[in-house]
Amino acid sequence: MAGVSLKCGDCGALLKSVEEAQEHAELTSHSNFAESTEAVLNLVCTTCGKPCRSKTESDLHTKRTGHTEFVDKTSETLKPISLEAPKVAMETDEADDGGGSGQPAEEMIVPEVDKKLLEELETMGFPTARATRALHYSGNASLEAAVNWVVEHENDPDIDEMPKVPANTKVEAPKPTLTPEEVKQKAQELRERARKKKEEEEKRMEREREKERIRIGKELLEAKRIEEENERKRILALRKAEKEEERKAREKIRQKLEEDKAERRRRLGLPPEDPATSKPSTPVVEEKKSSLPVRPATKAEQMRECLRSLKQNHKDDDAKVKRAFQTLLTFIGNVARSPDEEKFRKIRLTNQTFQDRVGSLKGGIEFLEICGFEKMEGGEFLFLVRDKVDMAVLNSAGSELNSAINNPFFGVL
Protein backbone atom coordinates (compact mmCIF):
# COMPACT_ATOMS: atom_id res chain seq x y z
CA MET A 1 0.00 0.00 0.00
CA ALA A 2 1.30 3.43 -0.93
CA GLY A 3 2.24 5.82 1.85
CA VAL A 4 0.86 9.28 2.45
CA SER A 5 4.29 10.98 2.56
CA LEU A 6 7.96 10.57 1.80
CA LYS A 7 10.44 10.58 4.67
CA CYS A 8 14.12 11.53 4.39
CA GLY A 9 16.17 8.80 6.04
CA ASP A 10 19.09 11.19 6.65
CA CYS A 11 17.34 14.01 8.56
CA GLY A 12 13.79 12.69 9.18
CA ALA A 13 12.00 15.45 7.22
CA LEU A 14 8.52 14.60 5.89
CA LEU A 15 7.80 15.53 2.25
CA LYS A 16 4.37 15.44 0.67
CA SER A 17 5.42 14.95 -2.95
CA VAL A 18 8.19 13.67 -5.16
CA GLU A 19 8.88 17.24 -6.30
CA GLU A 20 9.52 18.30 -2.74
CA ALA A 21 11.79 15.28 -2.28
CA GLN A 22 13.76 16.30 -5.36
CA GLU A 23 14.10 19.89 -4.10
CA HIS A 24 15.16 18.60 -0.69
CA ALA A 25 17.78 16.37 -2.30
CA GLU A 26 19.18 19.29 -4.32
CA LEU A 27 19.44 21.52 -1.24
CA THR A 28 20.82 18.98 1.24
CA SER A 29 22.40 16.25 -0.98
CA HIS A 30 20.25 13.70 0.90
CA SER A 31 19.17 10.75 -1.21
CA ASN A 32 17.72 8.22 1.23
CA PHE A 33 13.91 8.56 0.86
CA ALA A 34 11.21 6.06 1.74
CA GLU A 35 7.43 5.99 1.77
CA SER A 36 5.82 6.74 5.16
CA THR A 37 2.30 6.31 6.56
CA GLU A 38 2.70 9.51 8.62
CA ALA A 39 0.59 12.33 7.16
CA VAL A 40 2.21 15.65 6.28
CA LEU A 41 0.51 18.30 8.41
CA ASN A 42 0.76 22.06 8.36
CA LEU A 43 0.95 23.03 12.06
CA VAL A 44 2.03 26.66 12.57
CA CYS A 45 3.30 27.92 15.95
CA THR A 46 1.18 30.91 17.00
CA THR A 47 4.09 32.39 18.94
CA CYS A 48 6.94 32.45 16.42
CA GLY A 49 5.30 31.27 13.17
CA LYS A 50 7.44 28.09 12.94
CA PRO A 51 5.75 25.56 10.62
CA CYS A 52 5.78 21.90 11.62
CA ARG A 53 4.96 19.10 9.21
CA SER A 54 4.23 16.43 11.84
CA LYS A 55 3.25 15.96 15.45
CA THR A 56 6.84 14.87 16.15
CA GLU A 57 8.22 18.17 14.84
CA SER A 58 5.72 20.18 16.91
CA ASP A 59 6.66 18.20 20.05
CA LEU A 60 10.37 18.87 19.42
CA HIS A 61 9.63 22.57 18.86
CA THR A 62 7.65 22.71 22.13
CA LYS A 63 10.50 21.01 24.02
CA ARG A 64 13.10 23.36 22.52
CA THR A 65 11.24 26.70 22.83
CA GLY A 66 8.38 26.13 25.28
CA HIS A 67 5.79 27.19 22.68
CA THR A 68 2.67 25.01 22.98
CA GLU A 69 0.04 26.67 20.81
CA PHE A 70 -0.22 25.54 17.16
CA VAL A 71 -2.76 26.28 14.43
CA ASP A 72 -3.65 23.42 12.06
CA LYS A 73 -3.51 24.90 8.55
CA THR A 74 -3.58 21.64 6.68
CA SER A 75 -5.54 22.69 3.64
CA GLU A 76 -6.58 19.24 2.42
CA THR A 77 -6.44 15.56 3.25
CA LEU A 78 -3.30 14.20 1.68
CA LYS A 79 -3.74 11.31 -0.68
CA PRO A 80 -1.43 8.28 -0.59
CA ILE A 81 1.59 8.74 -2.82
CA SER A 82 4.27 6.49 -4.20
CA LEU A 83 7.46 7.01 -6.10
CA GLU A 84 5.31 7.39 -9.26
CA ALA A 85 3.51 10.31 -7.67
CA PRO A 86 3.87 12.75 -10.60
CA LYS A 87 2.03 10.44 -12.96
CA VAL A 88 -0.67 9.70 -10.45
CA ALA A 89 -1.05 13.41 -9.81
CA MET A 90 -1.56 14.11 -13.50
CA GLU A 91 -4.22 11.40 -13.76
CA THR A 92 -5.94 12.77 -10.69
CA ASP A 93 -5.95 16.29 -12.14
CA GLU A 94 -7.48 15.00 -15.38
CA ALA A 95 -10.12 13.13 -13.44
CA ASP A 96 -10.92 16.22 -11.41
CA ASP A 97 -11.15 18.39 -14.51
CA GLY A 98 -13.50 15.91 -16.16
CA GLY A 99 -15.79 15.22 -13.23
CA GLY A 100 -15.58 18.51 -11.47
CA SER A 101 -16.32 16.75 -8.16
CA GLY A 102 -12.97 17.48 -6.33
CA GLN A 103 -11.40 20.72 -5.17
CA PRO A 104 -8.13 21.65 -6.98
CA ALA A 105 -5.06 21.64 -4.74
CA GLU A 106 -3.84 25.09 -3.80
CA GLU A 107 -0.65 26.03 -5.62
CA MET A 108 2.40 26.43 -3.37
CA ILE A 109 5.23 28.78 -4.39
CA VAL A 110 8.44 30.14 -2.89
CA PRO A 111 7.54 33.30 -0.95
CA GLU A 112 8.71 36.69 -2.15
CA VAL A 113 11.38 38.16 0.13
CA ASP A 114 13.48 41.29 0.20
CA LYS A 115 16.11 40.75 -2.50
CA LYS A 116 18.57 43.15 -0.92
CA LEU A 117 18.30 41.46 2.47
CA LEU A 118 18.61 38.07 0.75
CA GLU A 119 21.83 39.16 -0.98
CA GLU A 120 23.21 40.51 2.30
CA LEU A 121 22.49 37.22 4.07
CA GLU A 122 24.10 35.26 1.26
CA THR A 123 27.12 37.59 1.49
CA MET A 124 27.36 36.70 5.21
CA GLY A 125 27.60 33.01 4.23
CA PHE A 126 24.02 31.76 4.73
CA PRO A 127 22.62 29.29 2.12
CA THR A 128 19.85 30.65 -0.12
CA ALA A 129 17.16 28.34 1.29
CA ARG A 130 18.07 29.17 4.89
CA ALA A 131 18.21 32.91 4.18
CA THR A 132 14.85 32.81 2.33
CA ARG A 133 13.23 30.88 5.21
CA ALA A 134 14.65 33.32 7.77
CA LEU A 135 13.41 36.41 5.90
CA HIS A 136 9.98 34.90 5.32
CA TYR A 137 9.33 33.84 8.92
CA SER A 138 10.82 37.03 10.35
CA GLY A 139 8.46 39.10 8.18
CA ASN A 140 11.22 40.70 6.07
CA ALA A 141 11.59 43.07 9.02
CA SER A 142 15.35 43.55 9.09
CA LEU A 143 18.69 41.85 8.70
CA GLU A 144 19.01 41.53 12.49
CA ALA A 145 15.59 39.87 12.79
CA ALA A 146 16.52 37.34 10.09
CA VAL A 147 19.86 36.51 11.73
CA ASN A 148 18.16 36.14 15.11
CA TRP A 149 15.64 33.76 13.56
CA VAL A 150 18.47 31.65 12.11
CA VAL A 151 20.22 31.51 15.51
CA GLU A 152 17.02 30.41 17.25
CA HIS A 153 16.11 27.78 14.64
CA GLU A 154 19.54 26.52 13.54
CA ASN A 155 18.78 23.03 14.92
CA ASP A 156 15.48 22.66 13.03
CA PRO A 157 15.57 19.64 10.70
CA ASP A 158 14.08 21.68 7.83
CA ILE A 159 16.27 24.76 8.30
CA ASP A 160 17.79 24.34 4.82
CA GLU A 161 14.52 23.56 3.02
CA MET A 162 13.06 26.21 0.72
CA PRO A 163 9.79 27.48 2.29
CA LYS A 164 6.51 27.26 0.34
CA VAL A 165 3.42 29.42 0.72
CA PRO A 166 0.08 29.51 -1.13
CA ALA A 167 0.25 31.42 -4.41
CA ASN A 168 -2.21 34.07 -3.21
CA THR A 169 -0.23 34.96 -0.08
CA LYS A 170 0.48 38.64 0.19
CA VAL A 171 4.00 39.76 1.10
CA GLU A 172 4.60 43.08 2.80
CA ALA A 173 6.70 45.68 1.07
CA PRO A 174 10.39 45.24 1.76
CA LYS A 175 12.00 47.46 4.35
CA PRO A 176 14.97 49.74 3.64
CA THR A 177 18.24 47.81 3.42
CA LEU A 178 21.75 48.46 4.69
CA THR A 179 24.96 49.29 2.83
CA PRO A 180 27.66 46.57 2.58
CA GLU A 181 29.72 48.34 5.24
CA GLU A 182 26.70 48.52 7.54
CA VAL A 183 25.99 44.84 6.84
CA LYS A 184 29.48 43.85 7.95
CA GLN A 185 29.26 46.08 11.01
CA LYS A 186 25.84 44.70 11.88
CA ALA A 187 27.02 41.12 11.41
CA GLN A 188 29.99 41.81 13.69
CA GLU A 189 27.66 43.31 16.31
CA LEU A 190 25.40 40.28 16.11
CA ARG A 191 28.32 37.89 16.52
CA GLU A 192 29.65 39.94 19.45
CA ARG A 193 26.22 39.96 21.06
CA ALA A 194 25.88 36.20 20.64
CA ARG A 195 29.37 35.70 22.11
CA LYS A 196 28.57 37.89 25.14
CA LYS A 197 25.30 36.09 25.65
CA LYS A 198 27.09 32.76 25.59
CA GLU A 199 29.74 34.01 28.05
CA GLU A 200 27.06 35.30 30.41
CA GLU A 201 25.29 31.96 30.26
CA GLU A 202 28.53 30.11 31.01
CA LYS A 203 29.22 32.45 33.97
CA ARG A 204 25.72 31.87 35.28
CA MET A 205 26.13 28.10 34.99
CA GLU A 206 29.51 28.32 36.77
CA ARG A 207 27.90 30.27 39.62
CA GLU A 208 25.19 27.65 39.87
CA ARG A 209 27.80 24.88 39.95
CA GLU A 210 29.77 26.74 42.65
CA LYS A 211 26.64 27.13 44.76
CA GLU A 212 25.96 23.42 44.36
CA ARG A 213 29.53 22.55 45.43
CA ILE A 214 29.19 24.78 48.51
CA ARG A 215 25.84 23.22 49.38
CA ILE A 216 27.23 19.69 49.07
CA GLY A 217 30.26 20.65 51.20
CA LYS A 218 28.00 22.01 53.94
CA GLU A 219 25.87 18.89 53.83
CA LEU A 220 28.97 16.67 54.15
CA LEU A 221 30.24 18.69 57.14
CA GLU A 222 26.84 18.53 58.80
CA ALA A 223 26.61 14.79 58.17
CA LYS A 224 30.09 14.32 59.67
CA ARG A 225 29.15 16.41 62.70
CA ILE A 226 25.98 14.39 63.24
CA GLU A 227 27.93 11.14 62.85
CA GLU A 228 30.51 12.18 65.47
CA GLU A 229 27.76 13.40 67.80
CA ASN A 230 25.95 10.06 67.47
CA GLU A 231 29.23 8.22 68.12
CA ARG A 232 29.80 10.29 71.26
CA LYS A 233 26.28 9.55 72.49
CA ARG A 234 26.81 5.87 71.77
CA ILE A 235 30.03 5.83 73.82
CA LEU A 236 28.31 7.60 76.73
CA ALA A 237 25.42 5.15 76.59
CA LEU A 238 27.90 2.25 76.50
CA ARG A 239 29.74 3.59 79.55
CA LYS A 240 26.48 4.02 81.41
CA ALA A 241 25.46 0.46 80.58
CA GLU A 242 28.86 -0.86 81.70
CA LYS A 243 28.58 1.01 85.02
CA GLU A 244 25.09 -0.37 85.55
CA GLU A 245 26.29 -3.91 84.84
CA GLU A 246 29.18 -3.39 87.25
CA ARG A 247 26.82 -2.12 89.95
CA LYS A 248 24.51 -5.10 89.48
CA ALA A 249 27.48 -7.48 89.65
CA ARG A 250 28.70 -5.89 92.92
CA GLU A 251 25.19 -6.07 94.35
CA LYS A 252 24.92 -9.74 93.41
CA ILE A 253 28.29 -10.52 95.02
CA ARG A 254 27.28 -8.62 98.15
CA GLN A 255 24.03 -10.55 98.40
CA LYS A 256 25.90 -13.82 97.93
CA LEU A 257 28.34 -12.90 100.73
CA GLU A 258 25.44 -12.01 103.01
CA GLU A 259 23.75 -15.31 102.26
CA ASP A 260 26.99 -17.25 102.93
CA LYS A 261 27.53 -15.34 106.18
CA ALA A 262 23.98 -16.05 107.33
CA GLU A 263 24.40 -19.72 106.43
CA ARG A 264 27.61 -19.98 108.47
CA ARG A 265 25.94 -18.35 111.51
CA ARG A 266 23.03 -20.75 111.16
CA ARG A 267 25.36 -23.79 111.10
CA LEU A 268 27.23 -22.51 114.17
CA GLY A 269 23.96 -22.01 116.01
CA LEU A 270 24.40 -18.24 116.27
CA PRO A 271 21.44 -15.87 116.11
CA PRO A 272 20.89 -13.96 112.84
CA GLU A 273 22.85 -10.72 112.51
CA ASP A 274 20.97 -7.50 113.07
CA PRO A 275 20.54 -5.82 109.64
CA ALA A 276 20.88 -2.36 111.22
CA THR A 277 24.48 -3.09 112.31
CA SER A 278 25.58 -5.14 109.30
CA LYS A 279 25.75 -2.36 106.73
CA PRO A 280 28.10 0.59 107.24
CA SER A 281 27.53 3.93 105.59
CA THR A 282 27.48 2.67 102.02
CA PRO A 283 25.39 5.55 100.61
CA VAL A 284 28.05 8.02 101.73
CA VAL A 285 30.69 6.15 99.75
CA GLU A 286 28.40 6.00 96.73
CA GLU A 287 27.75 9.74 97.04
CA LYS A 288 31.47 10.45 97.12
CA LYS A 289 31.99 8.28 94.05
CA SER A 290 29.27 10.06 92.16
CA SER A 291 30.90 13.41 92.89
CA LEU A 292 34.19 12.40 91.23
CA PRO A 293 34.78 13.61 87.65
CA VAL A 294 34.04 11.13 84.88
CA ARG A 295 37.27 9.99 83.22
CA PRO A 296 37.63 8.02 80.01
CA ALA A 297 37.33 4.29 80.67
CA THR A 298 40.34 3.17 78.58
CA LYS A 299 43.74 4.56 77.72
CA ALA A 300 42.75 4.74 74.07
CA GLU A 301 39.90 7.06 74.97
CA GLN A 302 42.20 9.09 77.24
CA MET A 303 44.63 9.48 74.32
CA ARG A 304 41.82 10.52 71.98
CA GLU A 305 40.56 13.12 74.44
CA CYS A 306 44.10 14.41 74.94
CA LEU A 307 44.64 14.80 71.17
CA ARG A 308 41.22 16.43 70.72
CA SER A 309 42.03 18.88 73.52
CA LEU A 310 45.41 19.67 71.93
CA LYS A 311 43.75 20.49 68.60
CA GLN A 312 41.01 22.57 70.24
CA ASN A 313 43.57 24.59 72.21
CA HIS A 314 45.54 25.38 69.02
CA LYS A 315 42.77 25.32 66.40
CA ASP A 316 44.05 28.54 64.82
CA ASP A 317 47.31 26.88 63.70
CA ASP A 318 46.54 23.60 61.90
CA ALA A 319 50.15 23.26 60.69
CA LYS A 320 51.52 23.34 64.24
CA VAL A 321 48.94 20.79 65.43
CA LYS A 322 49.71 18.42 62.55
CA ARG A 323 53.45 18.76 63.16
CA ALA A 324 52.89 17.92 66.86
CA PHE A 325 50.87 14.82 65.94
CA GLN A 326 53.57 13.64 63.51
CA THR A 327 56.34 14.24 66.12
CA LEU A 328 54.44 12.23 68.72
CA LEU A 329 53.91 9.46 66.16
CA THR A 330 57.69 9.42 65.52
CA PHE A 331 58.46 9.07 69.27
CA ILE A 332 55.92 6.25 69.69
CA GLY A 333 57.03 4.47 66.50
CA ASN A 334 60.73 4.54 67.49
CA VAL A 335 59.99 2.99 70.90
CA ALA A 336 57.69 0.37 69.37
CA ARG A 337 60.32 -0.66 66.79
CA SER A 338 63.32 -0.56 69.18
CA PRO A 339 62.11 -0.88 72.78
CA ASP A 340 65.60 -1.81 74.02
CA GLU A 341 67.15 1.43 72.73
CA GLU A 342 67.30 3.85 75.68
CA LYS A 343 67.79 6.89 73.43
CA PHE A 344 64.28 6.37 72.03
CA ARG A 345 62.79 6.08 75.53
CA LYS A 346 64.41 9.25 76.91
CA ILE A 347 63.40 12.80 75.93
CA ARG A 348 65.04 15.98 77.20
CA LEU A 349 62.28 18.44 78.06
CA THR A 350 64.58 21.46 77.65
CA ASN A 351 65.39 20.56 74.04
CA GLN A 352 64.31 23.52 71.92
CA THR A 353 63.09 21.41 68.99
CA PHE A 354 60.98 19.29 71.33
CA GLN A 355 59.58 22.42 72.97
CA ASP A 356 58.68 23.98 69.60
CA ARG A 357 57.00 20.85 68.28
CA VAL A 358 55.39 19.26 71.38
CA GLY A 359 56.45 20.65 74.75
CA SER A 360 54.96 24.12 74.31
CA LEU A 361 51.56 22.74 73.17
CA LYS A 362 49.06 22.00 75.88
CA GLY A 363 48.35 18.27 75.82
CA GLY A 364 51.56 17.07 74.15
CA ILE A 365 53.44 15.97 77.31
CA GLU A 366 50.19 14.58 78.80
CA PHE A 367 49.84 12.28 75.78
CA LEU A 368 53.36 10.87 76.34
CA GLU A 369 52.62 10.35 80.03
CA ILE A 370 49.52 8.32 79.12
CA CYS A 371 51.78 6.16 76.94
CA GLY A 372 53.99 5.42 80.01
CA PHE A 373 56.63 8.19 79.99
CA GLU A 374 57.51 9.61 83.41
CA LYS A 375 59.34 12.77 84.46
CA MET A 376 62.77 12.09 86.02
CA GLU A 377 65.85 13.94 87.30
CA GLY A 378 63.99 16.90 88.65
CA GLY A 379 61.64 17.11 85.69
CA GLU A 380 64.45 17.51 83.12
CA PHE A 381 63.68 14.29 81.22
CA LEU A 382 60.73 12.19 80.14
CA PHE A 383 61.73 8.54 80.48
CA LEU A 384 59.93 5.31 79.63
CA VAL A 385 61.23 2.43 81.79
CA ARG A 386 61.96 -0.67 79.76
CA ASP A 387 59.83 -2.88 82.00
CA LYS A 388 56.86 -0.51 81.53
CA VAL A 389 56.90 -0.61 77.73
CA ASP A 390 53.43 -1.87 76.77
CA MET A 391 53.21 -2.68 73.07
CA ALA A 392 49.42 -2.73 73.15
CA VAL A 393 49.38 0.81 74.56
CA LEU A 394 51.94 1.97 71.96
CA ASN A 395 49.96 0.40 69.12
CA SER A 396 46.80 2.06 70.40
CA ALA A 397 48.64 5.40 70.58
CA GLY A 398 49.84 4.99 66.98
CA SER A 399 46.28 4.25 65.80
CA GLU A 400 44.88 7.32 67.55
CA LEU A 401 47.63 9.55 66.11
CA ASN A 402 47.08 8.21 62.58
CA SER A 403 43.35 8.85 62.92
CA ALA A 404 44.00 12.40 64.16
CA ILE A 405 46.39 13.12 61.25
CA ASN A 406 44.32 11.60 58.43
CA ASN A 407 40.81 12.56 59.58
CA PRO A 408 40.15 16.18 58.44
CA PHE A 409 37.20 16.43 60.83
CA PHE A 410 39.07 15.23 63.93
CA GLY A 411 38.53 17.59 66.85
CA VAL A 412 36.15 19.87 64.92
CA LEU A 413 33.34 19.39 67.43
Short mmCIF file of all heavy atoms in Angstrom, two decimals, residues 3 41 52 190 221 253 313:
data_model
loop_
_atom_site.label_atom_id
_atom_site.label_comp_id
_atom_site.label_asym_id
_atom_site.label_seq_id
_atom_site.Cartn_x
_atom_site.Cartn_y
_atom_site.Cartn_z
N GLY A 3 2.26 4.99 0.66
CA GLY A 3 2.24 5.82 1.85
C GLY A 3 1.60 7.16 1.56
O GLY A 3 1.20 7.47 0.45
N LEU A 41 1.41 17.28 7.88
CA LEU A 41 0.51 18.30 8.41
C LEU A 41 1.08 19.69 8.13
O LEU A 41 2.21 19.84 7.67
CB LEU A 41 0.32 18.10 9.91
CG LEU A 41 -0.16 16.70 10.34
CD1 LEU A 41 -0.26 16.63 11.85
CD2 LEU A 41 -1.50 16.37 9.70
N CYS A 52 5.40 23.27 11.29
CA CYS A 52 5.78 21.90 11.62
C CYS A 52 4.95 20.96 10.76
O CYS A 52 3.73 21.10 10.66
CB CYS A 52 5.56 21.61 13.10
SG CYS A 52 6.50 22.67 14.20
N LEU A 190 26.20 41.46 15.78
CA LEU A 190 25.40 40.28 16.11
C LEU A 190 26.27 39.15 16.66
O LEU A 190 25.91 38.48 17.63
CB LEU A 190 24.63 39.80 14.88
CG LEU A 190 23.54 40.75 14.37
CD1 LEU A 190 22.95 40.23 13.06
CD2 LEU A 190 22.44 40.91 15.41
N LEU A 221 29.78 18.29 55.81
CA LEU A 221 30.24 18.69 57.14
C LEU A 221 29.17 18.43 58.19
O LEU A 221 29.46 17.95 59.29
CB LEU A 221 30.63 20.17 57.13
CG LEU A 221 31.94 20.54 56.41
CD1 LEU A 221 32.12 22.04 56.39
CD2 LEU A 221 33.13 19.87 57.09
N ILE A 253 27.23 -9.95 94.18
CA ILE A 253 28.29 -10.52 95.02
C ILE A 253 28.03 -10.22 96.49
O ILE A 253 28.21 -11.07 97.38
CB ILE A 253 29.66 -9.97 94.58
CG1 ILE A 253 30.01 -10.48 93.18
CG2 ILE A 253 30.75 -10.35 95.57
CD1 ILE A 253 31.23 -9.86 92.59
N ASN A 313 42.80 23.50 71.60
CA ASN A 313 43.57 24.59 72.21
C ASN A 313 44.40 25.36 71.19
O ASN A 313 44.80 26.50 71.44
CB ASN A 313 44.48 24.04 73.32
CG ASN A 313 43.69 23.55 74.53
OD1 ASN A 313 42.62 24.08 74.82
ND2 ASN A 313 44.19 22.52 75.19
#
